[in-house]
Amino acid sequence: SKSVFFILGITYLDHAGSALFPESLLKAFTDDLRNNVYGNPHSQNISSKLTYDTIEHVRYRILQHFHTTAEDYTIIFTSGCTAALKLVAEAFPWIPEGTKQPSSRFCYLTDSHTSVVGMRGITASMNVLSVPIKPKEILLSEKNRLPAEEQNCTTPHLFSYPAQSNFSGTKYPLSWIQDIKSGKLCPINIPGKWFVLLDAASYVSSSPLDLGVHQADFIPISFYKIFGFPTGLGALLVNNRIAPLLRKTYFGGGTAAAYLAGEDFYFPRKSIAERFEDGTVSFLDIIALKHGFEVLEKLTGGMEKIKQHTFTLAHYTYTVLSTLKYANGAPVVRIYSDTDFSNPDVQGPIINFNVLDENGEVIGFSQVDKMASLYNIHVRTGCFCNTGACQMHLGISNEDIQRNLQAGHVCGDDIDLVDGRPTGSVRISFGYMSSFEDAQSFLKFIIATRLSKSDTEIPFQLSSTKLTMESVPDDHPSFNSADKLSPIPHISDTELENNSSATKTTVNWQPPEAEVESIRSAVSETAVPTYRRGGKPITVTNIYLYPIKSCSAFEVTEWPVGNQGLLYDRNWMVVNQNGVCMTQKQEPRLCLVNPSIDLKQKIMVIQAEENPGKEAVICESKVCSHRVKTYDCGERIAGWFSMFLGRPCRLIRQSSDMKKKSHQKNIKGLASAANISLSLVNEAQYLLINVASILQLKEHISARLEEPLEIEELIRRFRANIVISAPESFEEEEWAEISIGALRFQVVGPCSRCQIICIDQQSGERNKEFLQSLSAARGRKVMKYLLKEYSQLSCYANCHHLFFQ
């Protein structure tokens, strides 16, 4: 049986980031809620007693899952793994520096998640030293064994390491737990008693953990890594031998057996779990876990089978990926791994890599991510909240990290290359829902985007290779027909045809007074910029505005300029039922919607080239992570767009009393444009392209695509506001300011655009090869400088932002 994601055409390869839930889990949970009343567990009524008893049953089920009992471990529910780690840092019985007895140490493996490393912030506030330990160093730690006279010291120390690296999938030995607790391994040479925190969040998503054998003192987990739902729930499994030593300062609701409000008296509850679960636990989410365990067992047959299934997929993918070569023999990818993927006991279902070109240079992860999106493949990029592993595998020094920060790179952004060197990588990861088709789709994507037809001597024929999986027996199908995600609301073609207004509609508005006053001048075809490097004139050939964000261009020969750019440019946008902006990346058919504005009648006419209101309500939406205030354009327009796009959506307009502000940084030493007011554009008021630059790109792209490409089509793909004709291609890279008629503009720099350039603006059809061809068109020199902008759309400076001054 096939995964639901295969049915939807999605290749989801970020299971290490989050598992995805099956519909049967949601159905079982919602049926439970419909059939039972669950009250606050801190009350004493019948519904509250039911909640309390169900929570205790779930605690037992979690202990059973990890092969242990309530005699050995206590379950403390938290909001996630990070909260569990924070709890350990706050409650551990640290002995600070400066006391008569030896002080405590917090040691952690450098291949650890940010949330583990962040514990040192708390220990530092308690005057406890933190010591990072590299993976190779722990293997040499037998040399740190203490002399017999120092082995009786009782100072508590804590060592934390991941059961599985979330960066590379390396599984570190669970035998370290007992070796460290017994003194056979000592992370550092210091007297005292060692306790072990096993970060199991990544490990338990695809592997069984037996706490009856490997008795770590603290095991933090997040349940969404296992089940996909619920997402805001985790737990700390605490060994009962250490639990009485934990310290508690704050006491929230439900943690106190007794306390006085008028003086400093507090007596905690006897139960360790109740003592540390501040406030009311997320009891409905905890109840969902019961169904999560049941569904997981029913669908897969258990964690051991999941371990074998996911490893088989990772082993196959690694084997093919590691053998892909260019015609010159150069590898296509560089894999960051500590193993050869031959043993599921030492390697999890995670593959971390960077894509290389024929010369061995890294292609930035942002470009790979955007290309994968065109193939509907979902991957993870960056450093994955694991800077230590990222530095170790990519050879990034501490000084490099600091220099990259000064260059503007921060964790989680898409600056993938600095001075030609990678700041992160690409990660794929498999889960129990993953299928052989997922692995094939990914490998076909790499081959299609990196290798020419003459290079494709692949060691495995992907279309015919069969994969033997013993992980899921016949009586535990990985998915059945009932296990589907909730269907997307769909409007039939018949409904669309029967709607007489489906191909044309109008929007009326009364322009605010401030908007009229903002009209200062007009840009026209005959305007000539005063900035020129040669004697030949530079003329404006086309003017486009885009009244509705991501819809078709409206071409004009003369147009008013407001304080946010061309008047009414990107003043409206289409949003889904959750108020999230829809673009051509999700809905390519938006390019078929042609809005035009009649300035005299104050109306916008919306037509669709395909033949298939009420009082304004103020609301908020987001445009590229910036919150903007908008108002809804009414039911009639919403119905028109919903009919045309075949999914519920609405048209909203930016409110005139709240403007987006630019967040552009200084470029070329010019004054900051941070206070410039923006409409619903992503980064700047205007976008400019040069026809000469486009013509040069056309030659490269047409040759690679092996098909004719019209210059007008290419210009439309760049979705610029102002198209100029300059004597030389790419001379705009040198510009700082230009003037057009009476208007002066500041050139802020190359635009940061996306894979929309792959969409034909006349037909709405995607061409996946387009971005790949464009990325190769200008060579390594420019790509080293700003690959992010180049790979997304701008080809460095052939698209420039202009700010009105």
Side-chain angles (χ1 to χ4, degrees), residues 623-645:
V623 181
C624 295
S625 301
H626 302 304
R627 192 165 293 280
V628 294
K629 186 170 287 187
T630 60
Y631 63 83
D632 195 292
C633 293
E635 296 298 331
R636 182 175 61 88
I637 303 300
W640 187 92
F641 271 99
S642 298
M643 280 289 179
F644 180 73
L645 295 176

Side-chain angles (χ1 to χ4, degrees), residues 5-6 8-13 366-379 437-453 456 462 584-586 588 704-705 755-756 758-759 766-773:
F5 312 112
F6 183 76
L8 294 177
I10 295 172
T11 303
Y12 182 82
L13 295 175
S366 181
Q367 179 178 346
V368 176
D369 189 18
K370 288 174 176 56
M371 287 300 300
S373 295
L374 291 173
Y375 285 75
N376 221 355
I377 296 174
H378 301 194
V379 300
E437 288 85 358
D438 293 333
Q440 282 190 313
S441 295
F442 168 74
L443 291 168
K444 288 177 180 177
F445 152 67
I446 294 293
I447 292 168
T449 55
R450 298 314 312 161
L451 300 178
S452 64
K453 295 178 182 178
T456 52
L462 299 182
Q584 289 184 33
K585 286 180 284 186
Q586 301 90 26
R704 291 178 62 90
L705 292 178
Q755 60 265 37
I756 288 179
C758 295
I759 301 172
R766 292 180 188 268
N767 184 334
K768 299 173 183 176
E769 312 299 327
F770 201 94
L771 184 59
Q772 183 70 21
S773 300

Side-chain angles (χ1 to χ4, degrees), residues 261-299:
E263 59 182 85
D264 188 11
F265 172 77
Y266 159 70
F267 193 80
R269 287 187 177 272
K270 185 177 181 180
S271 164
I272 295 296
E274 291 179 322
R275 187 182 302 179
F276 283 92
E277 289 173 350
D278 296 319
T280 302
V281 294
S282 186
F283 54 90
L284 293 183
D285 286 338
I286 293 172
I287 291 169
L289 294 182
K290 176 170 70 78
H291 303 287
F293 284 113
E294 292 171 355
V295 168
L296 194 73
E297 183 69 29
K298 178 182 178 181
L299 293 180

Side-chain angles (χ1 to χ4, degrees), residues 61-295:
R61 185 65 184 85
I62 295 169
L63 293 170
Q64 184 184 48
H65 183 78
F66 294 113
H67 305 281
T68 188
T69 66
E71 276 100 39
D72 289 330
Y73 282 92
T74 294
I75 304 291
I76 300 173
F77 286 112
T78 66
S79 63
C81 181
T82 295
L85 291 164
K86 184 170 179 281
L87 190 157
V88 174
E90 292 171 337
F92 191 80
W94 306 105
I95 296 178
E97 293 286 312
T99 59
K100 294 181 180 180
Q101 62 187 113
S103 57
S104 298
R105 294 290 184 273
F106 169 52
C107 294
Y108 58 89
L109 209 66
T110 53
D111 186 358
S112 287
H113 193 278
T114 302
S115 299
V116 171
V117 181
M119 293 170 66
R120 73 186 185 198
I122 294 176
T123 61
S125 70
M126 298 178 176
N127 203 20
V128 172
L129 297 180
S130 298
V131 183
I133 306 292
K134 295 179 180 178
K136 292 181 180 179
E137 292 174 352
I138 193 69
L139 299 174
L140 303 174
S141 63
E142 287 191 19
K143 297 179 182 179
N144 293 334
R145 298 196 68 173
L146 297 170
E149 63 271 15
E150 295 185 7
Q151 292 183 6
N152 294 326
C153 177
T154 59
T155 296
H157 307 296
L158 182 64
F159 176 68
S160 175
Y161 78 98
Q164 175 177 289
S165 169
N166 75 310
F167 183 93
S168 63
T170 297
K171 290 182 177 179
Y172 291 102
L174 296 178
S175 60
W176 284 2
I177 297 170
Q178 185 57 36
D179 289 346
I180 288 174
K181 292 174 68 172
S182 67
K184 182 179 178 181
L185 291 177
C186 286
I188 56 175
N189 192 358
I190 188 171
K193 180 176 176 58
W194 283 96
F195 295 90
V196 177
L197 188 159
L198 183 73
D199 178 9
S202 178
Y203 183 90
V204 298
S205 65
S206 58
S207 298
L209 177 61
D210 190 339
L211 294 181
V213 177
H214 307 291
Q215 296 198 341
D217 298 290
F218 306 99
I219 304 97
I221 58 174
S222 286
F223 290 108
Y224 74 93
K225 300 276 188 181
I226 306 173
F227 307 119
F229 175 85
T231 56
L233 184 66
L236 177 66
L237 283 72
V238 181
N239 193 308
N240 289 336
R241 285 187 287 273
I242 180 67
L245 302 179
L246 299 180
R247 301 166 179 169
K248 185 73 186 297
T249 53
Y250 172 80
F251 59 96
T255 64
Y259 75 96
L260 292 174
E263 59 182 85
D264 188 11
F265 172 77
Y266 159 70
F267 193 80
R269 287 187 177 272
K270 185 177 181 180
S271 164
I272 295 296
E274 291 179 322
R275 187 182 302 179
F276 283 92
E277 289 173 350
D278 296 319
T280 302
V281 294
S282 186
F283 54 90
L284 293 183
D285 286 338
I286 293 172
I287 291 169
L289 294 182
K290 176 170 70 78
H291 303 287
F293 284 113
E294 292 171 355
V295 168

Side-chain angles (χ1 to χ4, degrees), residues 720-732:
N721 293 114
I722 301 170
V723 182
I724 62 163
S725 178
E728 299 180 36
S729 60
F730 304 110
E731 69 169 85
E732 63 273 20

